[in-house]
Amino acid sequence: DGIPDPDLKLRVRVQARQIFTYCRAQKMGWAQDVEPMVRGMAEFIGHFGVTECRSDGYVHLLNPDFSIADSKKDLYDHAFFTLAYAAIYDTFADRPAHRKARRIVQWIEKEWAHPSGGWREGDYPAPWRRQNPFMHWFETCMFLYEASGKPEWAERAKRIFALFEQYFFDAQAQVLREFFNEDWTLAPGATGAIVEPGHMFEWVWLLRWYERLMNHDTSAYANALWHKGLAIGLDAAGLIYDQVDADGNVLAATKRLWPITELVKAGLS
C-alpha cells in the first residue's frame, strides 16, 4: 500500500543511488532545489554508514534505528558511493566531492587490490568474484571522466573494459559471464552456468557509452549481447528472466523491474 516499512534494514548504498538520481534529475531540468536533500543524504551516509570517523569505506546495512546491522564493506556498494560524490561534483561544481570520489578509489586500491587484476569483493571472504561490481565501476569511471575530463578516470575505465574483453564476455557462447574463481577462471558447475540477461542489456548501454567517450568501436560486443540477450532472456510477454544459461534454459523464472529499464536503455543505445 506504499506505507514505509519501519522494521526493514536499510541498505546504505540506496542512499548513494538516490543522491545520484536526484542530482541527475536537477541537471536534466526534471527537479529543482535538490541540493539540501542531496547533502542531507551524504551527511547521513558519512555519519551512520562508517565504522570510524572520516573513513572512506562504508558499511552494508543499518538497523531501523540507524545502528550498524552488517559492517561488511563491499566492492559493489562502493561503486555507488563514488558515483554519488561524482554526481554532487558534476551537478554543483563541488570540487571537494570530486576529491572524496578519488579518495574512495584510492582507499579501495590500497585495501582491495587483487593480484589477478581488479579488486577483491570487499573486506569479507567471498565464495566467488563477480562481474557485477566491475560493471558499476565501469559506469562510475566513465561518468567521472565525462564530468571532469581527467585522464585518470579514462585509464580506470580502460582497465575494466580489458577485464570485460578478457574474462566477462564469453565469445564462444556470446554471453556475459557472472561468477569467477580468484584467477578469473569461470566458476564451476551451476554457478558458472548462470547468465543474467538484465546485465547483458546493461553492458550494451555501457559499451556504447564507452564507444562515444573513447572513440573505440565496441559494436561487436554490444550487438552480440543485444541479440543473444533477446534470444535467450525474454519470456512470451517480453519480460526478462532473472537467470538463464547460455542455451536459454531458464534457471530462475522470476522477473523484476530493473532488467526492463536496462532493456530500454540498451534499445535506445
Coordinates of all heavy atoms in Angstrom, one line a residue, residues 35-104:
E35 N 19.6 20.3 -3.8 CA 20.8 20.3 -3.0 C 20.7 20.0 -1.5 O 21.5 19.2 -1.0 CB 21.6 21.6 -3.3 CG 23.0 21.5 -2.7 CD 23.9 22.7 -3.2 OE1 23.4 23.6 -3.9 OE2 25.1 22.7 -2.8
P36 N 19.7 20.6 -0.8 CA 19.6 20.3 0.6 C 19.3 18.9 0.9 O 19.9 18.3 1.8 CB 18.4 21.2 1.1 CG 18.4 22.3 0.1 CD 18.8 21.7 -1.2
M37 N 18.5 18.2 0.1 CA 18.2 16.8 0.3 C 19.4 16.0 0.0 O 19.8 15.0 0.7 CB 17.0 16.4 -0.6 CG 16.7 14.9 -0.6 SD 15.2 14.5 -1.5 CE 15.6 15.1 -3.1
V38 N 20.1 16.3 -1.1 CA 21.3 15.5 -1.5 C 22.4 15.6 -0.5 O 23.0 14.6 -0.1 CB 21.8 16.1 -2.9 CG1 23.2 15.6 -3.1 CG2 20.9 15.6 -4.0
R39 N 22.6 16.8 0.0 CA 23.7 17.0 1.0 C 23.3 16.3 2.4 O 24.1 15.8 3.1 CB 24.0 18.4 1.2 CG 24.6 19.0 -0.1 CD 25.5 20.3 0.2 NE 26.0 20.8 -1.1 CZ 27.1 20.4 -1.7 NH1 27.8 19.4 -1.1 NH2 27.6 21.0 -2.8
G40 N 22.0 16.3 2.6 CA 21.5 15.7 3.8 C 21.7 14.2 3.8 O 22.1 13.5 4.8
M41 N 21.5 13.6 2.6 CA 21.7 12.1 2.5 C 23.2 11.8 2.5 O 23.6 10.8 3.1 CB 21.2 11.6 1.1 CG 19.6 11.5 1.2 SD 19.0 10.6 -0.3 CE 19.0 11.9 -1.5
A42 N 24.1 12.7 2.0 CA 25.5 12.5 2.1 C 26.0 12.6 3.5 O 26.8 11.8 4.0 CB 26.2 13.5 1.2
E43 N 25.4 13.5 4.3 CA 25.7 13.7 5.7 C 25.3 12.4 6.5 O 26.0 12.0 7.3 CB 25.1 14.9 6.2 CG 25.4 15.2 7.7 CD 24.8 16.5 8.2 OE1 24.4 17.3 7.4 OE2 24.8 16.7 9.4
F44 N 24.1 11.9 6.1 CA 23.6 10.7 6.8 C 24.6 9.5 6.5 O 24.9 8.8 7.5 CB 22.2 10.4 6.2 CG 21.6 9.1 6.7 CD1 20.8 9.1 7.8 CD2 21.8 7.9 6.1 CE1 20.3 7.9 8.3 CE2 21.3 6.7 6.6 CZ 20.5 6.7 7.7
I45 N 25.0 9.3 5.3 CA 25.9 8.2 5.0 C 27.2 8.4 5.8 O 27.8 7.5 6.4 CB 26.2 8.2 3.5 CG1 25.0 7.8 2.7 CG2 27.4 7.3 3.2 CD1 25.2 8.0 1.2
G46 N 27.7 9.7 5.8 CA 29.0 9.9 6.5 C 28.9 9.8 8.0 O 30.0 9.5 8.6
H47 N 27.7 9.9 8.5 CA 27.6 9.8 10.0 C 27.3 8.4 10.4 O 27.9 7.8 11.3 CB 26.5 10.7 10.5 CG 26.3 10.7 11.9 ND1 27.2 11.3 12.8 CD2 25.3 10.2 12.7 CE1 26.8 11.2 14.1 NE2 25.7 10.5 14.0
F48 N 26.3 7.8 9.7 CA 25.8 6.4 10.2 C 26.4 5.3 9.4 O 26.4 4.1 9.9 CB 24.3 6.4 10.0 CG 23.5 7.3 11.0 CD1 22.9 8.4 10.5 CD2 23.4 7.0 12.3 CE1 22.2 9.3 11.3 CE2 22.7 7.8 13.2 CZ 22.1 9.0 12.7
G49 N 27.0 5.5 8.3 CA 27.5 4.4 7.4 C 28.9 4.1 7.6 O 29.5 3.3 6.8
V50 N 29.6 4.6 8.6 CA 31.0 4.4 8.7 C 31.3 3.8 10.1 O 30.5 4.0 11.1 CB 31.9 5.7 8.6 CG1 31.7 6.2 7.1 CG2 31.5 6.7 9.6
T51 N 32.4 3.1 10.2 CA 32.8 2.4 11.5 C 33.8 3.3 12.2 O 34.1 3.0 13.4 CB 33.4 1.0 11.2 OG1 34.4 1.1 10.3 CG2 32.3 0.1 10.7
E52 N 34.4 4.3 11.6 CA 35.3 5.1 12.2 C 35.3 6.5 11.6 O 34.9 6.6 10.4 CB 36.7 4.6 12.1 CG 37.2 4.3 10.7 CD 38.5 3.5 10.7 OE1 38.6 2.6 11.4 OE2 39.4 3.9 9.9
C53 N 35.6 7.5 12.3 CA 35.5 8.9 11.8 C 36.3 9.1 10.6 O 37.4 8.6 10.4 CB 36.0 9.9 12.9 SG 35.8 11.6 12.5
R54 N 35.7 9.8 9.6 CA 36.4 10.2 8.3 C 36.8 9.0 7.5 O 37.7 9.1 6.7 CB 37.6 11.1 8.6 CG 37.3 12.4 9.3 CD 38.5 13.2 9.7 NE 39.2 13.6 8.5 CZ 38.9 14.7 7.7 NH1 37.8 15.4 8.1 NH2 39.5 15.0 6.7
S55 N 36.2 7.9 7.7 CA 36.5 6.7 6.9 C 36.1 6.9 5.4 O 35.1 7.5 5.2 CB 35.8 5.4 7.5 OG 36.0 4.3 6.6
D56 N 36.8 6.3 4.5 CA 36.4 6.3 3.1 C 35.7 5.0 2.7 O 35.4 4.7 1.6 CB 37.7 6.5 2.2 CG 38.2 7.9 2.3 OD1 37.4 8.9 2.4 OD2 39.4 8.1 2.4
G57 N 35.5 4.1 3.7 CA 34.8 2.9 3.5 C 33.5 2.9 4.2 O 33.4 3.4 5.4
Y58 N 32.4 2.3 3.6 CA 31.1 2.4 4.2 C 30.5 1.0 4.4 O 30.8 0.0 3.7 CB 30.2 3.1 3.2 CG 30.6 4.6 3.0 CD1 31.4 4.9 1.9 CD2 30.2 5.6 3.9 CE1 31.8 6.2 1.8 CE2 30.6 6.9 3.7 CZ 31.4 7.2 2.7 OH 31.8 8.5 2.5
V59 N 29.7 0.9 5.4 CA 29.1 -0.4 5.8 C 27.9 -0.8 4.9 O 27.5 0.0 4.1 CB 28.6 -0.4 7.3 CG1 29.8 -0.1 8.2 CG2 27.5 0.5 7.5
H60 N 27.4 -2.0 5.0 CA 26.5 -2.6 4.1 C 25.0 -2.3 4.5 O 24.2 -1.8 3.7 CB 26.7 -4.1 4.0 CG 25.9 -4.8 2.9 ND1 26.0 -4.4 1.6 CD2 25.0 -5.8 3.0 CE1 25.1 -5.2 0.9 NE2 24.5 -6.0 1.8
L61 N 24.7 -2.6 5.8 CA 23.3 -2.5 6.3 C 23.2 -1.7 7.6 O 24.1 -1.9 8.4 CB 22.7 -3.9 6.4 CG 22.4 -4.7 5.2 CD1 21.9 -6.1 5.6 CD2 21.4 -4.1 4.3
L62 N 22.1 -1.0 7.8 CA 21.8 -0.4 9.0 C 20.5 -0.9 9.6 O 19.6 -1.3 8.8 CB 21.6 1.2 8.9 CG 22.8 2.0 8.3 CD1 22.4 3.4 8.2 CD2 24.0 1.8 9.2
N63 N 20.4 -1.0 10.9 CA 19.1 -1.3 11.6 C 18.2 -0.1 11.5 O 18.6 1.0 11.1 CB 19.4 -1.6 13.0 CG 20.1 -2.9 13.2 OD1 19.7 -4.0 12.7 ND2 21.2 -2.9 14.0
P64 N 16.9 -0.3 11.8 CA 15.9 0.8 11.7 C 16.3 2.0 12.6 O 15.9 3.1 12.3 CB 14.6 0.1 12.1 CG 14.7 -1.3 11.8 CD 16.2 -1.6 12.0
D65 N 17.0 1.7 13.7 CA 17.5 2.9 14.5 C 18.8 3.5 14.0 O 19.4 4.3 14.7 CB 17.6 2.4 16.0 CG 18.7 1.4 16.2 OD1 19.3 1.0 15.2 OD2 18.9 1.0 17.4
F66 N 19.3 3.0 12.8 CA 20.5 3.5 12.2 C 21.7 3.0 12.8 O 22.8 3.5 12.4 CB 20.5 5.1 12.1 CG 19.3 5.7 11.5 CD1 18.8 6.9 11.8 CD2 18.6 5.0 10.5 CE1 17.7 7.5 11.2 CE2 17.4 5.5 9.9 CZ 17.0 6.8 10.3
S67 N 21.7 2.1 13.8 CA 22.9 1.4 14.2 C 23.3 0.4 13.1 O 22.5 0.0 12.2 CB 22.6 0.7 15.5 OG 21.6 -0.3 15.4
I68 N 24.5 0.0 13.1 CA 25.1 -0.9 12.1 C 24.6 -2.3 12.2 O 24.7 -2.9 13.3 CB 26.6 -0.8 12.1 CG1 27.1 0.6 11.7 CG2 27.2 -1.9 11.1 CD1 28.6 0.8 11.8
A69 N 23.9 -2.8 11.2 CA 23.5 -4.2 11.2 C 24.4 -5.2 10.5 O 24.5 -6.3 10.9 CB 22.1 -4.3 10.5
D70 N 25.1 -4.7 9.5 CA 26.1 -5.5 8.8 C 27.3 -4.6 8.4 O 27.1 -3.7 7.6 CB 25.5 -6.1 7.5 CG 26.4 -7.1 6.8 OD1 27.6 -7.1 7.1 OD2 25.9 -7.8 5.9
S71 N 28.4 -4.8 9.0 CA 29.5 -3.9 8.9 C 30.4 -4.2 7.7 O 31.5 -3.6 7.5 CB 30.4 -3.9 10.2 OG 30.9 -5.1 10.4
K72 N 30.1 -5.2 6.9 CA 31.0 -5.6 5.8 C 31.0 -4.4 4.8 O 30.1 -3.7 4.6 CB 30.5 -6.9 5.1 CG 29.3 -6.7 4.2 CD 29.1 -8.0 3.5 CE 27.9 -7.9 2.5 NZ 27.6 -9.1 1.8
K73 N 32.2 -4.3 4.2 CA 32.4 -3.3 3.2 C 32.5 -4.0 1.8 O 33.4 -4.9 1.7 CB 33.6 -2.4 3.5 CG 33.5 -1.7 4.8 CD 34.7 -0.8 5.1 CE 34.5 0.0 6.4 NZ 34.5 -0.8 7.6
D74 N 31.7 -3.6 0.9 CA 31.5 -4.4 -0.3 C 31.9 -3.5 -1.6 O 31.6 -2.4 -1.7 CB 30.0 -4.8 -0.4 CG 29.8 -5.6 -1.6 OD1 30.1 -6.8 -1.6 OD2 29.2 -5.1 -2.6
L75 N 32.6 -4.2 -2.5 CA 33.0 -3.5 -3.7 C 31.9 -2.9 -4.5 O 32.0 -1.8 -5.1 CB 33.9 -4.5 -4.6 CG 34.4 -4.0 -5.9 CD1 35.5 -2.8 -5.6 CD2 35.1 -5.1 -6.7
Y76 N 30.8 -3.7 -4.7 CA 29.6 -3.3 -5.4 C 29.1 -2.0 -4.8 O 28.8 -1.0 -5.5 CB 28.6 -4.4 -5.4 CG 27.3 -4.1 -6.1 CD1 27.0 -4.4 -7.4 CD2 26.2 -3.6 -5.3 CE1 25.8 -4.1 -8.0 CE2 25.0 -3.3 -5.9 CZ 24.8 -3.6 -7.2 OH 23.6 -3.4 -7.8
D77 N 28.9 -2.0 -3.5 CA 28.3 -0.8 -2.8 C 29.2 0.4 -3.1 O 28.6 1.5 -3.3 CB 28.3 -1.1 -1.3 CG 27.3 -2.1 -0.9 OD1 26.6 -2.7 -1.7 OD2 27.2 -2.4 0.3
H78 N 30.5 0.3 -3.1 CA 31.4 1.4 -3.1 C 31.4 2.1 -4.5 O 31.8 3.2 -4.6 CB 32.8 1.1 -2.6 CG 32.8 1.0 -1.1 ND1 32.3 0.0 -0.4 CD2 33.3 1.9 -0.2 CE1 32.5 0.2 0.9 NE2 33.1 1.4 1.0
A79 N 31.0 1.3 -5.5 CA 30.8 2.0 -6.8 C 29.8 3.1 -6.8 O 29.9 4.1 -7.4 CB 30.4 0.9 -7.9
F80 N 28.7 2.8 -6.0 CA 27.7 3.8 -5.9 C 28.0 5.0 -4.9 O 27.5 6.1 -5.2 CB 26.4 3.1 -5.4 CG 25.9 2.1 -6.5 CD1 26.0 0.8 -6.2 CD2 25.4 2.6 -7.7 CE1 25.6 -0.1 -7.2 CE2 25.0 1.7 -8.6 CZ 25.0 0.3 -8.4
F81 N 28.8 4.7 -3.9 CA 29.2 5.8 -3.1 C 30.1 6.8 -3.9 O 30.0 8.0 -3.8 CB 30.0 5.3 -1.8 CG 29.2 4.4 -0.9 CD1 29.6 3.2 -0.6 CD2 27.9 4.9 -0.5 CE1 28.8 2.3 0.2 CE2 27.2 4.1 0.4 CZ 27.6 2.8 0.7
T82 N 31.0 6.2 -4.7 CA 31.8 7.0 -5.5 C 31.0 7.8 -6.6 O 31.2 9.0 -6.8 CB 32.9 6.1 -6.2 OG1 33.5 5.3 -5.3 CG2 33.9 7.0 -7.0
L83 N 30.0 7.1 -7.2 CA 29.1 7.7 -8.2 C 28.3 8.8 -7.5 O 28.1 9.9 -8.2 CB 28.2 6.6 -8.8 CG 27.3 7.1 -9.9 CD1 28.2 7.6 -11.1 CD2 26.4 5.9 -10.4
A84 N 27.9 8.7 -6.3 CA 27.2 9.7 -5.6 C 28.0 11.0 -5.5 O 27.5 12.1 -5.8 CB 26.7 9.3 -4.2
Y85 N 29.2 10.9 -5.1 CA 30.1 12.1 -4.9 C 30.4 12.6 -6.3 O 30.6 13.8 -6.5 CB 31.4 11.7 -4.2 CG 31.1 11.6 -2.7 CD1 31.0 10.4 -2.0 CD2 30.9 12.8 -1.9 CE1 30.7 10.3 -0.7 CE2 30.6 12.7 -0.6 CZ 30.5 11.5 0.1 OH 30.2 11.4 1.4
A86 N 30.6 11.7 -7.3 CA 30.8 12.2 -8.7 C 29.6 13.1 -9.1 O 29.8 14.1 -9.8 CB 31.0 11.0 -9.6
A87 N 28.4 12.7 -8.8 CA 27.2 13.4 -9.2 C 27.1 14.8 -8.5 O 26.7 15.8 -9.1 CB 26.0 12.6 -9.0
I88 N 27.5 14.8 -7.2 CA 27.5 16.0 -6.5 C 28.5 17.0 -7.1 O 28.2 18.2 -7.4 CB 27.8 15.8 -5.0 CG1 26.7 15.1 -4.3 CG2 28.1 17.1 -4.3 CD1 27.0 14.6 -2.9
Y89 N 29.7 16.5 -7.5 CA 30.7 17.3 -8.2 C 30.1 17.8 -9.5 O 30.2 19.0 -9.8 CB 31.9 16.4 -8.4 CG 32.9 17.0 -9.4 CD1 33.6 18.2 -9.2 CD2 33.0 16.4 -10.7 CE1 34.5 18.7 -10.2 CE2 33.9 16.9 -11.6 CZ 34.6 18.0 -11.4 OH 35.4 18.5 -12.3
D90 N 29.5 16.9 -10.3 CA 29.0 17.3 -11.6 C 27.9 18.3 -11.5 O 27.8 19.2 -12.4 CB 28.6 16.0 -12.3 CG 28.1 16.3 -13.7 OD1 28.8 16.9 -14.5 OD2 26.9 16.0 -14.0
T91 N 27.0 18.2 -10.6 CA 25.8 19.0 -10.5 C 26.1 20.4 -9.9 O 25.5 21.4 -10.4 CB 24.7 18.3 -9.7 OG1 24.5 17.0 -10.3 CG2 23.4 19.0 -9.8
F92 N 26.9 20.4 -8.9 CA 27.1 21.6 -8.1 C 28.5 22.2 -8.2 O 28.8 23.1 -7.4 CB 26.7 21.4 -6.6 CG 25.3 20.8 -6.4 CD1 25.2 19.5 -6.0 CD2 24.2 21.5 -6.8 CE1 23.9 18.9 -5.8 CE2 23.0 21.0 -6.6 CZ 22.8 19.7 -6.2
A93 N 29.3 21.7 -9.2 CA 30.7 22.1 -9.3 C 31.4 22.1 -8.0 O 32.2 23.0 -7.7 CB 30.7 23.5 -10.0
D94 N 31.2 21.0 -7.3 CA 31.8 20.8 -5.9 C 33.1 20.1 -6.0 O 33.1 18.8 -6.0 CB 30.7 20.1 -5.1 CG 31.1 20.0 -3.6 OD1 32.3 19.8 -3.3 OD2 30.2 20.0 -2.8
R95 N 34.2 20.8 -5.9 CA 35.5 20.1 -6.1 C 35.8 19.2 -4.9 O 36.4 18.1 -5.1 CB 36.6 21.1 -6.3 CG 36.5 21.9 -7.6 CD 37.7 22.8 -7.9 NE 37.5 23.4 -9.1 CZ 37.8 22.9 -10.3 NH1 38.3 21.7 -10.4 NH2 37.7 23.6 -11.4
P96 N 35.4 19.5 -3.7 CA 35.7 18.5 -2.6 C 35.0 17.2 -2.8 O 35.5 16.2 -2.4 CB 35.1 19.3 -1.3 CG 35.3 20.7 -1.7 CD 35.0 20.8 -3.1
A97 N 33.8 17.2 -3.5 CA 33.1 16.0 -3.8 C 34.0 15.1 -4.8 O 34.0 13.9 -4.7 CB 31.7 16.2 -4.4
H98 N 34.6 15.8 -5.7 CA 35.5 15.0 -6.6 C 36.7 14.4 -5.9 O 37.1 13.3 -6.1 CB 36.0 15.9 -7.8 CG 36.8 15.2 -8.8 ND1 38.2 15.2 -8.7 CD2 36.5 14.5 -9.9 CE1 38.7 14.5 -9.7 NE2 37.6 14.1 -10.5
R99 N 37.2 15.2 -4.9 CA 38.3 14.7 -4.1 C 37.9 13.5 -3.3 O 38.6 12.6 -3.1 CB 38.9 15.8 -3.3 CG 39.7 16.9 -4.0 CD 40.5 17.8 -3.1 NE 39.7 18.6 -2.2 CZ 39.3 19.8 -2.5 NH1 39.6 20.3 -3.7 NH2 38.6 20.5 -1.7
K100 N 36.6 13.6 -2.8 CA 36.1 12.5 -2.0 C 36.0 11.2 -2.9 O 36.3 10.1 -2.4 CB 34.8 12.8 -1.4 CG 34.1 11.7 -0.6 CD 34.9 11.3 0.6 CE 34.1 10.2 1.4 NZ 34.9 9.7 2.5
A101 N 35.5 11.4 -4.1 CA 35.4 10.2 -5.0 C 36.7 9.6 -5.2 O 36.9 8.4 -5.2 CB 34.7 10.7 -6.3
R102 N 37.7 10.5 -5.4 CA 39.1 10.0 -5.7 C 39.6 9.2 -4.4 O 40.3 8.2 -4.5 CB 40.0 11.1 -6.1 CG 41.5 10.6 -6.4 CD 42.4 11.8 -6.6 NE 42.2 12.4 -7.8 CZ 41.9 13.7 -8.0 NH1 41.7 14.4 -7.0 NH2 41.8 14.2 -9.2
R103 N 39.3 9.8 -3.2 CA 39.8 9.1 -2.0 C 39.2 7.8 -1.8 O 39.9 6.8 -1.4 CB 39.5 10.0 -0.8 CG 40.4 11.2 -0.6 CD 40.5 11.6 0.9 NE 39.2 11.6 1.6 CZ 38.4 12.7 1.6 NH1 38.7 13.8 0.9 NH2 37.2 12.6 2.3
I104 N 37.9 7.6 -2.2 CA 37.3 6.3 -2.0 C 38.1 5.3 -3.0 O 38.4 4.2 -2.6 CB 35.8 6.3 -2.4 CG1 35.1 7.2 -1.4 CG2 35.2 4.9 -2.5 CD1 33.6 7.4 -1.8

